[in-house]
Every structure is written in C-alpha cells, then in structure tokens.
Amino acid sequence: DAGITQSPRHKVTETGTPVTLRCHQTENHRYMYWYRQDPGHGLRLIHYSYGVKDTDKGEVSDGYSVSRSKTEDFLLTLESATSSQTSVYFCAISEGSGSRSYEQYFGPGTRLTVT
Amino acid sequence: SQQGEEDPQALSIQEGENATMNCSYKTSINNLQWYRQNSGRGLVHLILIRSNEREKHSGRLRVTLDTSKKSSSLLITASRAADTASYFCATDSPNFGNEKLTFGTGTRLTIIP
C-alpha cells in the first residue's frame, strides 16, 4: 500500500466518545486525504492537507477535524462520535508534483463502528 | 453530490471475455482517473487520462474519454478471475485543482471462472 499505514485498523466505540484515526506515510508526499466509504456513496472526501498545518474541508467535513503537524502524519478526529459516522475510513496521499502528481495512493482503511 | 457516476453498478462476465464500464461526469475536468478496489482493501490507481487525450492504453486496460459527452469508458480485455473487484472513476475540477478528486459510486465486476 505504497508506504501508507493507518491505525487502528478496526475500532468499536460508543456514541459521544472522541476518536482519533492516524495516517502515516513514508513517501514524503505533499498531499494527504481522508475519505469515508459507505455503501451507495462511493468515496467521499472529508478533509485534505496540502502541507504541514495546511488543511481544507471536503464534501463531508461536519463532525470531523484534522491536524497535520508533520509531513508524514495526518490525524482525523471525531470529537463526539455518532452512529452516522460508522464507516470505513481511507487515507490517501499524492505527490503534488512531477508526472504522477495527481495519482492518489491509498492506505488499507480503518473500519470504525459507533454503537 | 458525486461528480462521476459509473454504469453499470454491477457486471458479471465469463473469464476471458471483455468487460466495459462507463463513467459520466457533470462538469469540466482536467483529468479523469480509474481505480480498482479489491474486497476489504484500499483503492489502487489504474490509469489517468488527460482532458486533451481521447484514448489511453495500459496492458489489458483501454480507457477512452469523450469530453463533449462528459463520459469515459474502461475496457478490460481477456478478463481474469483476479480482475474481480470494484472499479471507480475519479475526476478533478479546474475550479478546485487537480489535487482534489471526486469519486463515483463504482462498478462491481465479477469474473466467473
């Protein structure tokens, strides 16, 4: 999976609890992304980062926050998890320069269940 | 809302046959990409076609792009059991930059041995 790891890979949590998912890359790529994947919706962008401390919202950002304090790490936080946030979460990276700048490389995913 | 929509939603064919999937999108693009997702795994990039290209090949994959119809097709020739997966198109937007992609809902392809 192109030097991208996600942790945890599986998590079950209760409604109202905070949850943080971590994405770690070893490729030194500029862009990092968080998506959620739900049946019938494909992949939807939550937030993305275009550099350290530089982030922007995606299509479904409500209820989520992100942080990127180092090039290699991109954290996704659910401040107070809700059942509607039960999903599979994917991290992705892209170079942002060069011939393959727009291709995205995906991590293995985190399956989050909110009960 | 989704920029890309794949058609059909599901497709089953015999091994050795060709598989064709289509993607339609709504607004202007710079690039269109196709990705594959095996069950329980992350997406894998297959091919990128630029808006000024009409056709592109990579191994058994052939992608076409018709910007006037805002549509693309992915052809997999001589299918194999290992091609069983979901396939997604993804588009960028001149308004939001090449780094942001919008994915369709995917076509689930099943190759019958």
Side-chain angles (χ1 to χ4, degrees):
Chain A
D1 288 317
I4 309 168
T5 57
Q6 293 184 230
S7 59
R9 293 292 313 279
H10 301 271
K11 186 168 182 68
V12 179
T13 191
E14 292 184 348
T15 297
T17 60
V19 176
T20 295
L21 309 182
R22 179 180 183 241
C23 177
H24 179 79
Q25 61 147 329
T26 58
E27 307 295 325
N28 199 36
H29 282 6
R30 177 183 177 189
Y31 291 93
M32 298 186 76
Y33 310 81
W34 277 108
Y35 293 92
R36 61 179 289 174
Q37 185 175 34
D38 305 287
H41 289 278
L43 265 76
R44 292 180 291 175
L45 181 65
I46 305 172
H47 283 280
Y48 74 105
S49 169
Y50 47 96
V52 173
K53 294 187 175 12
D54 294 322
T55 64
D56 202 355
K57 295 179 179 180
E59 181 185 355
V60 289
S61 59
D62 287 348
Y64 302 94
S65 62
V66 290
S67 66
R68 190 172 179 195
S69 59
K70 298 185 291 185
T71 299
E72 57 266 34
D73 290 326
F74 193 33
L75 303 181
L76 176 70
T77 297
L78 291 65
E79 301 289 348
S80 178
T82 67
S83 59
S84 64
Q85 294 176 311
T86 292
S87 186
V88 180
Y89 291 85
F90 287 99
C91 175
I93 62 175
S94 66
E95 285 187 70
S97 64
S99 61
R100 296 183 182 274
S101 58
Y102 311 129
E103 299 171 13
Q104 294 189 11
Y105 302 93
F106 284 78
T110 294
R111 183 173 295 277
L112 175 68
T113 302
V114 183
T115 61
Chain B
S1 63
Q2 297 290 342
Q3 165 75 314
E5 295 291 338
E6 288 89 345
D7 170 59
Q9 290 188 335
L11 178 63
S12 293
I13 60 172
Q14 295 290 136
E15 191 168 18
E17 294 181 339
N18 296 340
T20 299
M21 288 156 272
N22 302 296
C23 169
S24 60
Y25 57 91
K26 297 175 183 174
T27 62
S28 298
I29 62 171
N30 291 324
N31 307 284
L32 184 143
Q33 303 182 42
W34 284 91
Y35 289 78
R36 184 188 74 233
Q37 183 180 33
N38 291 93
S39 181
R41 307 289 297 271
L43 277 70
V44 174
H45 180 268
L46 294 176
I47 195 165
L48 178 152
I49 186 165
R50 303 185 192 284
S51 59
N52 61 356
E53 297 176 312
R54 291 297 166 257
E55 188 171 311
K56 200 163 182 180
H57 296 254
S58 176
R60 293 185 296 113
L61 305 181
R62 172 179 165 244
V63 170
T64 61
L65 179 64
D66 187 335
T67 53
S68 67
K69 295 181 179 178
K70 293 186 170 57
S71 68
S72 173
S73 67
L74 171 67
L75 169 68
I76 303 174
T77 61
S79 63
R80 306 168 181 170
D83 295 327
T84 293
S86 292
Y87 292 82
F88 296 87
C89 66
T91 54
D92 58 19
S93 165
N95 296 327
F96 299 108
N98 299 334
E99 67 274 11
K100 254 173 93 170
L101 299 180
T102 301
F103 287 82
T105 52
T107 291
R108 187 164 57 251
L109 175 65
T110 302
I111 307 300
I112 304 166

